[in-house]
Amino acid sequence: MSTAPSLTAEEAPQPAAAEPKPRGPWAALRPLVLRLHFYAGVFVAPFLLVAAVTGLLYAASFQAEKLLYAHETTVPVGEAKLPISQQVDAARKAHPEGTVSAVRPSPEDDASTRVMLSGVEGVGATHALAVFVDPYTGEVRGALEQYGSTGALPLRTWIDEFHRDLHLGENGRLYSELAASWLWVIAGGGVALWFSRRRAQRKVRGVTGRRRTLGLHGTVGVWAAAGFFFLSATGLTWSTYAGAHIDELRTSLGQATPSVSAAASGGDHAGHDAASGAGGDAEHGVGLDKVLAAARAEGLGDPVEIVPPADASSAYVVKQVQRSWPEKQDAVAVDPASGKVTDTLRFADHPLLAKLTRYGIDLHTGVLFGLANQIALMLLALALILLIVWGYRMWWQRGRGGAFGRPIPRGAWAQVPPYVLVPLMAAVAVVGYFVPLLGIPLAGFLVVDVVVGEIAHRRRRATSAA
């Protein structure tokens, strides 16, 4: 029986070469996201660090304020509170300077009444001098500078302004807008990079060096990412440039925050009566007591703020100022001549985006859910501080022999297919227009990247020619 001739190794059929797996969009995008995350982490992180530290201090300032100003803000509980007009008279006798801009009657049994004075020498135009009055005895317990709708006193005001603009005015607000503009980008990129890694590479236990730092950085970042997205979005709502675009968008959609009409309805007679109370005091026409009673009859419970008429043709405005849950933001206008309510605005009737903006800002500032809200903000701020420290440590650990960290390799954008790159660039351009402190630095990163690459290319070419 014949046998088939044996084949040599060269003659034996070779297995077909495995076809390369097609690269998906994320495989091409990942190096680009990694490089952007690197650049943003290196250059924007200092601004985020300042925002995180000052935000941590601000969240803690609510409780510190209660302790520091307890004498002014709290009183022994008495039998009956004096009429609000008598409390204002007591404040004016102690502090006749300036004009009464608002009055906040004692909202709780052990809380003092605040009489706010504007135009006081030494007090900023956007601030007021708050005179604290015992509602039971009329005793003036002190006076402190106050800022904002939440009634921030000097400690919280100083930290708030430091967090917002570093005490540098309008130009200083650019730092906080830059931080808010980039926080969501850095957080989103970090989450995408973390989940694109193999599960075995996400370990924290049993690893050392850069892998352990990366594990800590990624794990904490993923858990805190939702909070960072929220802080970024709400921070932008009242920023200088992005905030203006957001306001324009809300207005165009009919979602702007409404306000109660402060026009008096009593004609010339009302104007004459209202003007009779001019001269810097809060009493106009029927006076504070009847105005407050009219507001109470409309269901406005404590805490409320009474704003005197701005001029002879204006009405009193009484508005609820509770920013904790459930929010109380109803407002009424009261004719100073007749004491009748001329306009009513209910928070329940606010447009949806106006409500969401209000909730978002109050949650961002730590007042919506009180102490629990403030603790959550402190934990988020602490997480951001740790992430920044770990991020710089990873950069250092990328270096060799103790040298400073090596950058992520260039050229990542060239690997992205056109069908992904073109829509991505269009989306970035749109977002960059509406959030300019994201778009402008991003353009700067690209310019620096191109210049650095060109310098490196010319050096290599000169070296090879030599």
Side-chain angles (χ1 to χ4, degrees):
M1 184 175 69
S2 63
T3 59
S6 61
L7 299 177
T8 63
E10 288 78 14
E11 296 172 324
Q14 300 295 321
E19 294 184 3
K21 294 182 180 179
R23 287 169 58 85
W26 173 246
L29 274 176
R30 190 179 189 282
L32 183 62
V33 174
L34 183 61
R35 188 160 182 82
L36 179 62
H37 192 71
F38 165 77
Y39 264 129
V42 170
F43 295 111
V44 180
F47 299 97
L48 288 172
L49 183 60
V50 174
V53 172
T54 55
L56 176 65
L57 294 175
Y58 182 76
S61 68
F62 286 88
Q63 303 306 314
E65 187 176 70
K66 291 180 180 179
L67 296 175
L68 186 61
Y69 305 118
H71 175 75
E72 290 84 0
T73 58
T74 59
V75 298
V77 178
E79 294 182 0
K81 294 181 179 180
L82 299 172
I84 192 65
S85 58
Q86 292 186 27
Q87 298 179 49
V88 173
D89 287 342
R92 295 301 281 155
K93 287 179 182 178
H95 293 274
E97 66 273 22
T99 59
V100 177
S101 58
V103 180
R104 291 192 177 186
S106 167
E108 298 170 350
D109 291 341
D110 63 345
S112 58
T113 292
R114 296 192 190 191
V115 179
M116 276 75 82
L117 307 178
S118 61
V120 177
E121 185 177 356
V123 177
T126 59
H127 295 195
L129 181 69
V131 182
F132 297 85
V133 181
D134 186 326
Y136 300 100
T137 65
E139 174 195 2
V140 174
R141 297 179 66 83
L144 297 167
E145 193 166 334
Q146 176 178 301
Y147 171 76
S149 57
T150 61
L153 297 178
L155 173 66
R156 184 154 58 94
T157 297
W158 192 94
I159 297 174
D160 177 27
E161 293 177 348
F162 189 34
H163 176 67
R164 186 173 65 250
D165 59 23
L166 302 178
H167 293 285
L168 297 176
E170 285 300 313
N171 291 332
R173 292 183 66 181
L174 298 179
Y175 115 83
S176 57
E177 184 168 353
L178 177 69
S181 299
W182 278 93
L183 179 57
W184 69 275
V185 177
I186 297 174
V191 169
L193 291 169
W194 181 249
F195 282 108
S196 69
R197 294 175 62 85
R198 292 190 298 272
R199 184 177 297 273
Q201 294 178 329
R202 303 181 202 161
K203 288 184 177 180
V204 176
R205 295 180 180 178
V207 295
T208 59
R210 185 174 179 276
R211 281 193 61 189
R212 178 173 176 79
T213 307
L214 177 60
L216 292 169
H217 181 88
T219 302
V220 173
V222 166
W223 279 103
F228 295 154
F229 290 140
F230 168 79
L231 291 177
S232 179
T234 53
L236 288 174
T237 57
W238 72 89
S239 61
T240 301
Y241 296 107
H245 288 304
I246 293 171
D247 288 342
E248 291 175 3
L249 178 61
R250 286 176 53 201
T251 301
S252 67
L253 295 174
Q255 296 288 309
T257 301
S259 59
V260 68
S261 173
S265 63
D268 295 336
H269 181 67
H272 175 74
D273 286 347
S276 67
D281 290 329
E283 293 287 355
H284 299 258
V286 297
L288 290 170
D289 297 323
K290 290 186 177 180
V291 168
L292 182 59
R296 299 294 194 206
E298 289 294 318
L300 269 68
D302 287 323
V304 298
E305 179 177 282
I306 308 169
V307 180
D311 51 44
S313 62
S314 299
Y316 283 93
V317 172
V318 185
K319 53 187 177 182
Q320 293 178 308
V321 291
Q322 179 169 303
R323 296 289 180 81
S324 58
W325 188 267
E327 297 224 351
K328 295 181 180 180
Q329 298 289 305
D330 293 351
V332 297
V334 181
D335 190 330
S338 63
K340 294 181 179 179
V341 172
T342 59
D343 191 28
T344 302
L345 178 63
R346 302 293 181 185
F347 184 64
D349 298 328
H350 283 208
L352 177 61
L353 290 184
K355 289 181 181 178
L356 292 178
T357 300
R358 179 75 274 151
Y359 293 144
I361 291 175
D362 292 341
L363 191 58
H364 184 111
T365 54
V367 297
L368 188 59
F369 297 115
L371 180 59
N373 195 165
Q374 294 148 25
I375 292 174
L377 289 174
M378 285 188 278
L379 290 175
L380 275 176
L382 181 60
L384 184 55
I385 293 169
L386 291 174
L387 288 170
I388 292 170
V389 172
W390 286 328
Y392 278 116
R393 178 170 173 77
M394 281 192 296
W395 186 25
W396 177 268
Q397 290 172 328
R398 280 179 58 84
R400 295 175 178 173
F404 207 56
R406 293 174 288 120
I408 304 297
R410 296 182 63 258
W413 64 272
Q415 303 175 26
V416 182
Y419 71 88
V420 175
L421 184 61
V422 173
L424 179 63
M425 291 178 66
V428 169
V430 172
V431 174
Y433 171 78
F434 285 101
V435 188
L437 290 190
L438 170 64
I440 294 172
L442 180 57
F445 292 162
L446 294 175
V447 170
V448 169
D449 201 35
V450 170
V451 170
V452 170
E454 183 62 24
I455 292 173
H457 176 68
R458 291 187 178 187
R459 285 179 178 174
R460 287 194 299 270
R461 189 169 57 185
T463 303
S464 61

